Amino acid sequence: MTYSESPDVALVITTLKVGGAERFVIRLANELCCAMRVEIWVLCGMEDRPLLAAIDERVHVRLNSKLRSHPGRIAWATRQLRRVQPRVVQSLLWESDFVCATASRLTGYRQLFISERGDRWTTGTRQRLLDRMVVFPVARGAIANSSAAERTLVASGLRRGKIAVIHNGLPPIAPQRESCEVKEALDIPEDAKIVGMVSRMVWEKGWLQ
């Protein structure tokens, strides 16, 4: 890729630490780069970045390696928008949404798509107010990964017509063991119903619900 060209899409996220959202961004970028010019913008690039090695070499990564404060990240994103001018910007999680929305306001950028907010910022009164005043008026659209996430955005004040629900998907994997074998190995009654969840053990994942 020639980096002087405007990318087709810039995916913006706060960090590249290990996490579900970060892995999703990398997987999406790696899939898209086969057909278009893709960049990943990392708002806080000073910390360890264990996922960098998983990024396809055709994906250009831009790291904000100096400025950690919100004003600094906004200034950095504003410079990127003015200089790079991607066709579409997709921000992921609340902080990236807010930074990109503010940068879009400063530059007059009109192709920002935000994400659903499955993180700790979702419940904050101040964040909801900033959504209504700063983020939602600027965003051309929002992508939610479930109907529940869509309802959260609507409850926060985003018009339903701006939201597209795209469910998370994983390629089917054939089980290596029958369920009865697993239950027997774990000493679980054969007729017991089991509900599983794979995620970090943090409260915003909804374990207690």
Side-chain angles (χ1 to χ4, degrees):
M1 165 178 175
T2 302
Y3 296 138
S4 60
E5 297 181 76
S6 295
D8 294 302
V9 59
L11 303 172
V12 187
I13 195 161
T14 305
T15 75
L16 275 183
K17 283 188 172 181
V18 175
E22 291 80 6
R23 290 185 180 278
F24 169 78
V25 168
I26 291 173
R27 182 175 178 185
L28 179 60
N30 290 349
E31 292 287 342
L32 291 176
C33 75
C34 298
M36 59 182 67
R37 296 183 298 273
V38 182
E39 296 192 353
I40 297 176
W41 296 2
V42 186
L43 298 178
C44 185
M46 292 183 66
E47 59 200 10
D48 293 337
R49 299 178 291 274
L51 294 179
L52 272 178
I55 300 175
D56 191 292
E57 61 182 9
R58 291 170 290 184
V59 177
H60 187 202
V61 180
R62 297 180 187 269
L63 298 173
N64 175 13
S65 59
K66 297 180 180 179
L67 300 169
R68 287 180 174 271
S69 66
H70 279 96
R73 293 173 190 174
I74 290 169
W76 183 81
T78 300
R79 288 195 299 271
Q80 302 312 311
L81 282 181
R82 284 179 175 153
R83 182 168 64 238
V84 183
Q85 298 182 356
R87 294 185 182 180
V88 172
V89 170
Q90 169 72 62
S91 57
L92 292 103
L93 301 182
W94 191 88
E95 186 174 17
S96 298
D97 289 344
F98 174 71
V99 168
C100 288
T102 306
S104 295
R105 281 178 173 270
L106 294 173
T107 59
Y109 186 77
R110 292 290 180 266
Q111 298 299 320
L112 171 65
F113 291 81
I114 62 173
S115 63
E116 63 92 3
R117 286 56 174 314
D119 58 13
R120 64 187 181 280
W121 302 102
T122 306
T123 57
T125 302
R126 180 168 62 93
Q127 282 72 27
R128 287 177 181 263
L129 180 62
L130 289 172
D131 274 343
R132 297 190 183 206
M133 295 178 60
V134 179
V135 180
F136 292 166
V138 172
R140 181 172 177 180
I143 297 176
N145 63 359
S146 67
S147 298
E150 179 187 34
R151 291 193 294 272
T152 298
L153 287 171
V154 172
S156 296
L158 184 61
R159 183 164 51 86
R160 191 179 297 273
K162 275 191 168 186
I163 306 171
V165 178
I166 303 176
H167 296 277
N168 291 338
L170 292 172
I173 300 175
Q176 300 298 312
R177 302 169 66 186
E178 296 294 332
S179 61
C180 58
E181 295 180 63
V182 176
K183 287 181 177 180
E184 182 178 359
L186 297 176
D187 197 24
I188 298 173
E190 186 175 344
D191 59 349
K193 294 182 179 180
I194 301 174
V195 177
M197 179 173 176
V198 179
S199 73
R200 291 182 294 122
M201 296 287 287
V202 290
W203 70 266
E204 61 262 28
K205 297 298 184 181
W207 285 92
L208 298 180
Q209 299 175 8

